[in-house]
Each structure stands twice: as structure tokens, then as C-alpha cells.
Amino acid sequence: MKVVESGYKMDLHIHSVFSRGKDHSKVAFNTLENVGVLANKLNENGVQICAITDHDAFSYDMYKSLKGYELKSDCSIIKVFPGVEFSVEFEGDCGLQVLHVIAVFNDENDEAVKLIESILVNDKGVSKYDRHEAFSEERFLAILRQINLDTILIVHQKNSLASSKPKKNDANSLGEAKFKEIVYTDYFEAYEFKNRKNEVFNKYYLVKEELVDDIRFITGSDCHDWRVYPREDENEKENTDFVYTYVKCIPSFRGLVMAMTDHRRIKRVNSFFNSAETYIPKLELSVNGEKHIIPLSRGINVIIGDNSIGKSLLLHRITDYRKTQGKLLNNQVVKGYKQYLKSNNIEIETVISESDVFEFDMQGEIRTKFEQNSLKPDDFLKPYYPAAIVADPYKEKITRKLELVFDYLEKKFDIAQKEAQLGKFELLKEPIEQSESISFVGNISRDKGRVEGYSKVESDINTIIQQFETLNSNKYLEKTDKEKLSEISEQLLEIAKLYERKRLLVESENKKKALVQSAIAKFKEEYQSSVSDMQKLISNYNENVNSAADSIAEILYLKRRNNIPDVSMVKEYIPIATERVYNYEFNSRLGITEIDEKYITNLLKSVINKNAKTEIWSMSQDELCDNLPYFRGTPSDALEELKNRVYTQVHEDLSSKFTITQAGKDRTQELSAGLDSQIYFDMLSYETKHSGVYIIDQPEDNISQKAIRDYLLDRFKVMGEHRQVLMVTHRPQFIVNLDVDNVIFIGKDEEELVIRSGALEYQDEDYCILDIIAENIEGGLETLRRRWKRYEKNPAF
């Protein structure tokens, strides 16, 4: 077995008759002859990893007898470890206290295992205590050195850590200060509890004290009578709260050590991998005709090895040289990859279908995404954002006020133009004799305003009808509401037809006026050609006087009617829609969060020169032209330019904005760019709706060392529980600290391609994965030493 496919059920706390020094008759049945009873009970409960750990004693024969059931077809037992439950006296906050410490030993050196028994007891079978029925801490460590086997230490913690009354022999009976000292010095690999109820309290304590990563909890049956296993003895109730521990590791001592140094490898349910998730079970390739089958874990698989050996090529070949969403790699890159495979006589047979790839982040690609700011709602993060805020109601209210402003300015400029067009003519100083003539005293004006007004009403009503029809097509609208909207639409249609008739009537009148005016103009032209000069003078004079009077009257009338518009409105807040996703808020909003009179006035000010001395209401057409920054048009075009600039800003203000904030922060402010990668990997790690393998090439190229340490490793660990990950890396943190499930090494030995693979703890006669990491990854050895915690124990590396 090279990779872990499932967790293993474990019990490392079982007593035999060799605990009689402390347990007396309680363990009388648990003799060598009755080991079969224990094996059957372990099998009934599906226990796969176990150890007999007697009080301050060890029986090699008992150990070997139970070990004889390993890997039998009719038995669940896969691994039996040698172990002892030590009584060790520690100096606590209130004096000396005895703790019960389970020591599980490496079983690889069987000769050393045989010697444990004689090291612990004398010729008479009495434990070699240096305290009253206990070992001092110094004596305990000396015994471990004498045994000279790698050791896992597990201390009793039967009451919860949050309990105000520590139980005798529990770790926290030493007092809080000494207990914390032991925790922070990594004295014990794990803390053992039994009662299921204590698990919740223990977890609460770890979170409160920020010790989640520092303490591993496991369970042990503490069985003293094999006949009633997993109960402690016949007096314990049948409905015990005991719950088994599962560990994710290869069933070996190295595997158990790796499990005990990462709390994510220990669970009370066998849920280390998502069994329903798509995954690739193996990679198949051949080198020089020799076939290689590389088993893959359902969790995190990393590819390491020499530079330019083809690690990235492997990722691209198994995805058929595709990027995400069907995009192909650059042709030159593909050509180079194919040439490399051909020249090295390599054939990669495994190909992952596009539908089985969740995401593929190539080398340096994540950084490029952030720099190009491409992580927008239409990209990877789209599913997390709420629907866009509908801006139309706010736009309508703003537009109504702006139309008042623009209508005022248009009329103001039109009045000014009419004043400029009044012209000049001399009044007659002496009356002249009135000749018989016809004077044309004015024009027949057409009513253009009413046509535009009726047309606008008609258009607006038809727009509303169209909106109602769109609304009626919404599948979420109730049937009764659809019927009401249809009735209203019919009524609106009648009103629209009414204003259509009004418009057509005015247009008809205007046509008649135009015909009359045309006839008069023609008659005037013919008349003027037949009258005397004096008659023409009198006629023109009369026309000018009457026309001037009409124009002045019209100007005065228009001025009285054209008042500065009222742009006041009640302040209205524009909502922000928010979806809470893990520790983030995905917000859908508009560019502004409120509208009122101040918004309108500031909007108008924003598009003219900041130093303009005149309010926009008081500006002439020429002044408006001069106060529009970078405007090179004529004064007659200034108002249209003002409209365009204002409406462009309104469009920007009312456009949809999508922001991500951390919970509790101002939702109108986006997170800093430095958090882009954190958000990205957070979303990747928790995403469960979309299946498929996540492939990433050298994540260390995109993320800082601090970010890797602070959050990224944890994100990948979460991701590995949800989906399969394939990664190329050169960093030891992404291997050892990440606690990956499978390492694939690709190297060369005298020009021959070498492929090695397995879990971190895997080793066989040919190679050891931890040694490969230490030798081939810069900083790998030091990282491994930090991971393999020791206290006066035999170093593994």
C-alpha cells in the first residue's frame, strides 16, 4: 500500500493480565490463552490498529500472540503495536502528581521490542519503580532511552480540559501553568479521552485557548475484561459513550507518528476523503517501454523532482494540453512538450477529461489573474455574488429631476436667443399718410409644444405597458397578480390611445396652419411686387412693430413661466445585497448608496469647472460652454454636452458593483488587493458544488512565504478533504507541513528516468519517501525534523 485510501479504526488502550500489579482481579481473564477472545471482539467492532498497553509492564508473548491475527482474511486487525501504560510522576503547580502515559513503540526492530519486558521489571516480575508505584519523570525518560525505540506518547485526559475538577492521573491535574508548558513543548503527541460527551467540551477549550493545532485527541477503550470489549469491565453500562478514533495513515509506526502530529489526520468519523467526488485513481505511463503505474490519493498529491525533468509537462499532458474552459496551450509550448516526450521515449497514457477538471492554475497564472483584476463576477467568483441591484427605479427618479434642470436651461437659452433676435428698426418720427395697402402683422404659430408633450405621455405609457409585459413573463409572479397587471395594462393602453388622438389632432391643426401660412406668404410675395415703395415701407413698418410687440410679450411670458426647478427629494437609501460565504461577504450594490437633492446638485457641479463663479442656473449659453472642461464645441452644443456628461456619470453611479468584504467591515469598501489570493483559495477550498480535480503548478510562485504559513496550507488541507488535488511544487512547506497524502518524485539516475511515489510515511526496500524529500527538496530535511517531534527520543532522521 503506497497511499491511504481510507482511515483506520484504532484502539491503543487495552489491558491484559500483565496489568494485575495495579488492576488485580479486573484483568484476570485477559490471559495469553484468551487472546482469541480479544481478537474476535476487535473484529466484531472493526478495529484495525491496536495495542495492548499494560500498567508499567510489557509481555512480548502477549504482543506476538495478538500480532498473529494481523492481516488474516477473517479478522479486521491490520496492525498491532507494542506499548506500555506508564505511571509517571510529574512536578505540578500543587506538587507531585502521577499521570498515566501510554507509550507506543516502533515495531520495526523486533529484537529491541523483546527487551522492553526486562527493562521494565526485575527477575521477580516487579516493576522497577523509583517512586511509590510510579516512575519519576527522569526515570521514565531514562527508560525510553534504554528501550531505544522511536516512541509515541499519549497521556490520559478522561475528564474534559474545560472541567473545573481534573480527574486523577489526567494531564490537567498538574495545574494550568504546567499543563500549558507540556502542551507548548510538545511533550505528548496526543491526549486520550473516552466519553463522547467530553469531545464537545474539549473542542471548545481548544478553540478558546487557541490550541487547536497543538493538541491531538484520541480515544481508547481502557478495556480490562476482553469478554465485554469495548466496555472497560462488566460494571460499565452497555450503552457506553465510547467512540472510536480513526487515523489517516499507512498502518505503520511512521504512519502513526505522522497522524499524531497533525490533528486533521485524526477523526471520530471516517471522513478524511470525499468518497462521492470525482478523482483519478492512478497515473499510467511508460518510459523506454517500461510501464509505470502511480497510485493517486483521493486527497493531495504533489509532484517533486529535478528541474526541467517534466513535472509541469505531466500536468499538461494528462489534461490533453488544455487550459481551463477548453482553452488550448500555446502551440509552440505543446510542440516543445511533445518533442521532449518523444526524445525521452516517454508515453503518458492517463488523460483527464475536461469535465473532470475543477480548475487548472498554471505556473504564475494566479498572480496574473490578480494583476489583471480578472476575478470579477463573470469569472470564478460569480456563483457567490447576489443578483445585481435593479437600478431602473433610482434612475427614473434622478432622470425626472435632471429633465427639469435641462428643460429650464433649454428654455432659458431659447429666451436669450429670442431676445438677441428681436433686431432693430427706426420708429417713424412723423406720421405719413396711410396708403391703401395690406399690412402682414404676424405669423400663424404652430403648437409644437403640445405635440411633444402628448407624444411624451404616449411614449411613457407604452414603455410602462412593455415593462408590465416583461414582468408578467416572470415565472415567480403569482397568477392573480398577473391578472391584475393585465387589467392595468389594458387601462393604460386606453389612456395611451387617448393621448395619441390628442397628438394627431394637434398635428392636423398644425398642418392646416402651415398651409394657411404658406398661402399668406405666397400672397404677400405677389402683393409686394405690385405695390408702390411707400406702400411697402408702411406695410413692413407695421409688420415689424407688431412682430416686435408679439416677441417681447412672448419673452416676458416665457420668463415668468421658466422658474428655477425644484430638485428637492426625500433621501432614499439604496440597499446592498449581501451573501455571507464563510468569513466573507459578497456584496451586490450600485455605485452610490443614496439619492437626494444633494446628490443632484453635486452631480451637476461635478461636470463643470470646479472654479466656476456662477451657479449653473445663472449661466448663459456662452458661460456654460466656457465652464465645460475640455469642451471644444460651440455654445449651441454646450447643453447637449452637459446632458451627455451628466447622464454618463449617472450611468456610472447606478452601474452594478460587486465587492468582497470580510465580515463586519464596511461593505462599500473593497478588500485590499493583497487579499485577492486568500479569497481565491478560501473559495477554492470550500467549493463543493462543482466536482473535479484541482490542478495547480507551483503555488509558491504566486504567494508570499508569510501567506503560505498563515493561511494557505490550511486552505489546501481543507481542499484535500473535499476533492483530489494534483500539485507541482519545490517548497517543503507544501509537502511536509501540508501533510500531503501522496508524493510523486521524478528524477534521473545516469540519464535513466526514475519515478518513486507514496505517502509521506511510505518506505520499502528500495526507497523511503521522507528520505527522498530530505535529499531533493531544499530545506526539506529541516522541515522534517521540525515535524517529527522528539524529546530525548531516538531521532528518525
Side-chain angles (χ1 to χ4, degrees), residues 174 218 227 292 295 357 394 413 470 473 534 538 643 722 783:
L174 297 177
I218 68 168
R227 292 168 295 186
H292 294 267
V357 177
Y394 310 105
F413 297 157
T470 301
S473 65
M534 179 58 68
I538 294 172
K643 290 180 182 180
H722 294 162
T783 305

XYZ file of all heavy atoms in Angstrom, residues 174 218 227 292 295 357 394 413 470 473 534 538 643 722 783:
129
model
N -2.056 18.540 36.680
C -0.805 19.231 37.025
C -1.025 20.713 37.284
O -0.149 21.384 37.823
C 0.221 19.074 35.893
C 0.687 17.648 35.573
C 1.635 17.680 34.389
C 1.366 17.023 36.783
N -7.305 11.551 21.006
C -7.723 10.239 20.524
C -8.517 9.564 21.631
O -8.491 9.994 22.789
C -6.523 9.348 20.116
C -5.700 8.959 21.345
C -5.670 10.024 19.059
C -4.687 7.872 21.067
N -13.938 -9.953 27.499
C -15.245 -10.537 27.212
C -16.315 -9.483 26.957
O -17.310 -9.753 26.276
C -15.679 -11.460 28.353
C -14.834 -12.720 28.491
C -15.127 -13.439 29.787
N -14.755 -12.659 30.972
C -14.809 -13.116 32.219
N -15.235 -14.356 32.441
N -14.454 -12.360 33.228
N 4.877 2.169 -15.901
C 4.837 2.670 -14.528
C 3.390 2.990 -14.180
O 2.721 3.733 -14.900
C 5.688 3.935 -14.373
C 7.148 3.718 -14.572
N 8.001 3.452 -13.539
C 7.898 3.722 -15.703
C 9.227 3.318 -14.005
N 9.191 3.467 -15.321
N -0.081 5.046 -8.141
C -1.361 5.216 -7.431
C -1.516 6.665 -6.972
O -0.558 7.300 -6.525
C -1.232 4.275 -6.235
C -0.079 3.379 -6.533
C 0.842 4.156 -7.414
N -12.032 18.206 -14.579
C -11.091 19.198 -14.049
C -11.883 20.340 -13.433
O -12.636 21.031 -14.113
C -10.153 19.733 -15.143
C -9.232 20.820 -14.568
C -9.321 18.601 -15.734
N -34.309 54.001 -9.391
C -33.499 55.137 -8.952
C -33.126 56.027 -10.147
O -33.125 57.257 -10.041
C -32.239 54.640 -8.242
C -32.542 53.624 -7.177
C -32.266 52.274 -7.392
C -33.153 53.990 -5.985
C -32.578 51.321 -6.430
C -33.462 53.057 -5.017
C -33.179 51.709 -5.251
O -33.491 50.773 -4.293
N -32.001 79.421 -22.431
C -31.161 79.742 -23.590
C -32.013 80.138 -24.788
O -31.629 81.008 -25.587
C -30.274 78.542 -23.948
C -29.291 78.160 -22.869
C -28.775 76.872 -22.815
C -28.900 79.087 -21.896
C -27.870 76.511 -21.831
C -28.000 78.739 -20.907
C -27.489 77.443 -20.862
N -43.110 42.405 -19.573
C -41.895 41.715 -19.132
C -42.086 41.116 -17.744
O -41.703 39.976 -17.474
C -40.696 42.688 -19.113
O -40.501 43.222 -20.422
C -39.422 41.974 -18.652
N -44.074 37.925 -17.584
C -43.394 36.711 -18.043
C -42.529 36.093 -16.945
O -41.952 35.021 -17.143
C -42.527 37.018 -19.265
O -41.464 37.900 -18.913
N -43.715 103.264 -51.185
C -44.255 103.816 -49.955
C -45.177 102.805 -49.285
O -45.156 102.629 -48.076
C -45.027 105.111 -50.250
C -45.648 105.745 -49.008
S -44.396 106.118 -47.740
C -43.500 107.437 -48.562
N -44.675 101.235 -45.516
C -45.689 101.268 -44.465
C -46.046 99.855 -44.020
O -46.175 99.564 -42.836
C -46.943 102.018 -44.961
C -46.597 103.498 -45.207
C -48.089 101.891 -43.957
C -47.711 104.281 -45.872
N -25.702 67.434 -20.917
C -26.569 66.268 -20.729
C -25.770 64.968 -20.833
O -25.918 64.067 -19.999
C -27.681 66.267 -21.777
C -28.721 67.347 -21.615
C -29.763 67.228 -22.714
C -30.814 68.328 -22.632
N -31.835 68.198 -23.705
N -12.121 17.646 0.447
C -13.279 17.775 -0.444
C -13.031 17.191 -1.827
O -13.948 16.676 -2.462
C -13.664 19.248 -0.601
C -14.161 19.858 0.661
N -14.224 21.221 0.867
C -14.632 19.300 1.795
C -14.708 21.459 2.076
N -14.961 20.314 2.653
N 12.717 20.787 7.719
C 11.260 20.772 7.895
C 10.799 19.446 8.467
O 9.928 19.389 9.341
C 10.562 21.029 6.544
O 11.051 22.252 5.996
C 9.057 21.121 6.723
